[in-house]
Amino acid sequence: MAMTPLVQEKNLVFRLDAGNASYAFQVTPDGRLQHLYWGPKVEALEELTRLNGKNPYPTEPSLDPQDNQCWREHQLWEFAPEDIGVYAPATATVRSAQGTQVTDPRYVSYRTFPGKPALPGLPASYGQEEECQTLEVLLEDPATRVQFLLRYTAFRNLPVLARSLAITNRGDAPVELRRAASLTTDFCHESLDVVYFDGFWGKERCFHREPLQGGLKVLESTRGLSGHAMNPSVILCERTATEEAGRAYGALLVYSGSFAIEVDQSPLYRTRLNLGLHPQCFQWLLNPGDSFQTPEALQGFSAAGLGTLSRAFHDFLRNHLIPRQWRDAPRPILINNWEAMHFDFSKEKLVKLARTAKANGVELLVLDDGWFGKRNNDRNALGDWIPNQEKLDGTMGELADAIRAEGLKFGLWFEPEMISRDSDLFRKHPDWAIQTPGHSLSYHRFQYMLDFSRPEVVDYVFDTISQVIQEAKLDYMKWDANREMTEVGSLALPPEQQGEVAHRYVLGLYDLYQRLTRRFPQMLIEGCSAGGGRFDAGILAFSPQFWTSDNSDAFSRLFIQYGTSFFYPCSAMGAHVAVNWFPQRYSPVETRAAVAFAGTFGYELDLDRMPPEELAQVKAQCQFYHQCHHLVQNGDYYRLTSPYENNTVAWMHLAKDKSLCLLTVVFVRYDAAYAGENLRLPGLDPQATYSDGTHTWPGNLLIQAGYPVTTPKNGDMLSLQILLQKE
Ligand code: DGJ
């Protein structure tokens, strides 16, 4: 059955139905685009036009009803104009050749077609013709003749829309783009909460939920990377919404650079949501005939709480964003040598680690930082991607062969976008660093960022890295990025284009990702950015998993993985059992493994130095992972309790056919007076019975009354993992 966005030609009303949600907007009589509706599926079309608000200013009947045009805040906008009396952040701002900024485009045309086009140079979601339908609406600003193409793709089975904006200068004079949001949508609820995820190194994606108050709230990164400080995602939800009930609206940017999410509530209870490139870090020169494509934004809706919203995004990212070949392919259990050895490794140590790892069920060994140039600490050699044969006791190919001879796959760490101040590459090409002449160059971890706005720099990195990948026939690459952008400038661009550097950098990054994934499609890439800094949907489009945090302390991970799970599926979260170099609290190895099971599982420690009683458990953990990983990778994830509010932190993974459920519970602090509790397990089949190996339980009872849990013994950070099998 073909899907079609519904269009009412008379009033130019557009309605897109995605999964069980509808989204609607309309062309006004004066040709502007106003928002009408986003919520549960509705059948109405023409009637939707009655929903747009009225101007509350008392107009005398004798006055022209068209008066009061400086006050347009009561309207809901789909494309928010600049400087015509709307005042909340605009969708796009174009500075004309005259230096003015009014941006007020009017309707030109629309078209619809099945499927979804790719975005030039940018990662984007994908779908087959029978899975989705695209609507394009074209607007043009009469003064500058700049055109705006709004593109919406609605997916048939998921309540998610993918959106972007393409801007083309059809005029005769150059203009400058000052702002270009990927998504604008307006709400008219009186009381909404905003949910967002900020953080720092070792403390990624902290969950925040607060009532929206009047005024503008900007969730942002101005760091050149999406970064630790704020994730490019946001949820607006009804104040009463819970995990299982209430309306929730989520939006996620498919972008890895500086971004702004603007949430602006007016006293008329109109709330503008804008998502896109950060206007402070972005300008773009559009000569006559030039076009600019914004990154994609995804918007998802749930009428049944935050849990359902998260599961919609998980399904969407797994089925329509991550590289297709990794959708169902089981991810290998890996061991990474970083926490075990840092820079102090040798071929002998690595082979020994590989042998022990293989004997216990691990499948892939990753050699982290330190294998190239003169890299014996973090002060040098980034950019010199030549294996250090002295340290490796031979070539990289020989090391890879030695690891494979032990029965493991082999992976390597790179930091492709960076250049050490002390490197042969910097001595040869000091101009290849991002920099602003006349200003000192801030370094961080003794490194600068390469100027990826220059194609020759990306070419160089592609060539040098490809040689190593080829030589070692890598199965896996860890792609790290350990600093943010400062003194932004490129020695290769003219003054009028310096405002383009940060975005051009990200385009260069995506170009490198695309070339590497095309040339080495079998190689699994795991993203990383000083832990989980650049964990975003832009990177996930190339790299289906991301190192969630350098902080592998099981207690901290409860929070980090909880926050990450609101948008990103567990299959995207790198999670390892570690003996961390953090001053970490003690957690039994069972609990460290139970927490790491909720991600792409692995180890980050020296198995050969593990206490024997802990090592004895590794084999069983690996076997258990194989038994359950399909639940984690493709199943439905339920947050049962929040670590922010509970001492008993619980979650579950449920197979899509509801035949198997993995319940995980962590009891954070020991409480002598804890009497246990019943954890309700939503989502199970109410008609079925489930067995935990000892008892059988009616599904309906587990849903309504819960499953009884209590601490297995005395102590902090104890855990339980229960498999419930449908009978
Ligand atoms: C930061 C990463 O997050 C770590 O896992 C490790 O790869 C180091 N960089 C290596 O320098």
Side-chain angles (χ1 to χ4, degrees), residues 26 146 435 498:
Q26 180 195 19
V146 170
Q435 58 194 277
Q498 288 297 326

Side-chain angles (χ1 to χ4, degrees), residues 201 336 338-339 342-343 368-370 375 378 413 415 445 478 480-482 528-532 547 549-550 604:
W201 173 79
N336 180 303
W338 178 247
E339 299 297 343
H342 287 131
F343 294 99
D368 209 280
D369 197 352
R375 181 88 167 168
D378 62 7
W413 177 96
E415 200 175 356
R445 225 185 176 212
K478 178 172 171 185
D480 204 349
N482 283 301
C528 176
S529 178
W547 182 226
S549 177
D550 277 344
E604 190 103 4

Side-chain angles (χ1 to χ4, degrees), residues 275-298:
L275 231 81
L277 296 164
H278 201 305
Q280 188 183 316
C281 315
F282 168 78
Q283 282 172 22
W284 201 272
L285 178 69
L286 278 183
N287 281 312
D290 283 357
S291 288
F292 178 83
Q293 173 64 57
T294 70
E296 179 164 288
L298 304 171

Side-chain angles (χ1 to χ4, degrees), residues 112-130:
T112 67
F113 51 91
K116 179 174 189 299
L119 294 189
L122 286 161
S125 56
Y126 52 80
Q128 305 290 339
E129 291 202 348
E130 60 286 359

